[in-house]
Amino acid sequence: MKKTDSCTIEHSKITVNDALIFESQSETFHDFAKEAYKNLEISYPKFHKMDNLSKLAFLAAEMILKDENHSRTAVVFANRSSSLDTDFKYQESINSQENYFPSPAVFVYTLPNICVGEISIKHKMQTENAFFVLDEFDENFLNDYAEQILLSGKAEKVLCGWTELYQDNYKAFVYLLTL
């Protein structure tokens, strides 16, 4: 397998194939993501409704996938915190209501697979996707899983990566694999 492209997002910076693409002075991920979306001229209105984990994964994927045809590209992501950041926000929405009316807009994002789904919808991907929760980034595990998908013929490429976000600590490392 060969890695064709990679993107890293952390510390208010986006790098693609080791070249700095965008940098911000924003102190929060929310502000950084909003600024990156606007500056990079991404057009996907659903972005503004996404939770922060989905925004992180989406931004990293966009840097690699762009507007090319990826209907035969699979997605395999992992992180440590699952959707814990959004889970806490959902719990807060429950706690802040007198009559237990939690926010359905937040509930939608209480699964890590949603960020993979957003990427798949945007790029009309019709292949496999998976999101694993691991103690740490394990590139060998992701690559082995991706290789099985590629060898099975279910996909021509696999977008792999680590998309960890909890509060304002975040890092995405996403890369595209082919045979």
Side-chain angles (χ1 to χ4, degrees):
M1 285 188 314
K2 64 180 179 180
K3 193 182 294 184
T4 60
D5 291 297
S6 67
C7 174
T8 302
I9 299 176
E10 65 181 331
H11 309 301
S12 298
K13 294 180 186 172
I14 300 175
T15 58
V16 175
N17 301 327
D18 297 321
L20 183 65
I21 300 299
F22 176 75
E23 184 173 13
S24 168
Q25 299 302 315
S26 298
E27 293 185 20
T28 67
F29 176 78
H30 175 77
D31 291 343
F32 165 74
K34 197 160 97 173
E35 198 175 326
Y37 177 88
K38 183 177 179 181
N39 185 277
L40 297 168
E41 299 177 353
I42 298 170
S43 179
Y44 192 65
K46 287 176 60 177
F47 179 84
H48 303 291
K49 295 180 181 182
M50 293 180 194
D51 73 323
N52 284 337
L53 177 62
S54 295
K55 286 179 180 180
L56 176 63
F58 187 87
L59 285 171
E62 282 304 290
M63 297 301 99
I64 294 174
L65 301 177
K66 304 194 187 331
D67 292 324
E68 298 170 19
N69 180 353
H70 285 282
S71 63
R72 301 268 305 133
T73 300
V75 183
V76 179
F77 282 177
N79 76 4
R80 177 182 304 120
S81 300
S82 185
S83 59
L84 194 56
D85 187 68
T86 303
D87 294 348
F88 276 125
K89 289 177 181 152
Y90 180 67
Q91 184 61 47
E92 287 174 358
S93 79
I94 291 171
N95 295 343
S96 68
Q97 304 292 328
E98 288 181 22
N99 297 321
Y100 183 78
F101 291 112
S103 170
V106 176
F107 176 75
V108 169
Y109 289 96
T110 58
L111 294 171
N113 282 342
I114 298 299
C115 67
V116 171
E118 293 285 1
I119 294 164
S120 297
I121 291 166
K122 163 76 164 64
H123 292 282
K124 298 176 177 69
M125 296 173 165
Q126 301 170 2
T127 57
E128 291 196 20
N129 65 60
F131 197 112
F132 295 98
V133 179
L134 308 171
D135 286 334
E136 60 188 21
F137 176 56
D138 186 344
E139 190 169 2
N140 289 332
F141 173 81
L142 295 177
N143 291 353
D144 288 347
Y145 194 88
E147 184 176 32
Q148 291 304 311
I149 293 171
L150 292 169
L151 291 174
S152 75
K154 294 179 181 176
E156 295 170 357
K157 300 175 188 173
V158 180
L159 183 67
C160 292
W162 180 259
T163 56
E164 172 64 19
L165 183 136
Y166 182 66
Q167 297 174 337
D168 276 315
N169 297 315
Y170 61 92
K171 179 175 183 174
F173 174 64
V174 175
Y175 54 97
L176 194 61
L177 293 175
T178 62
L179 283 179

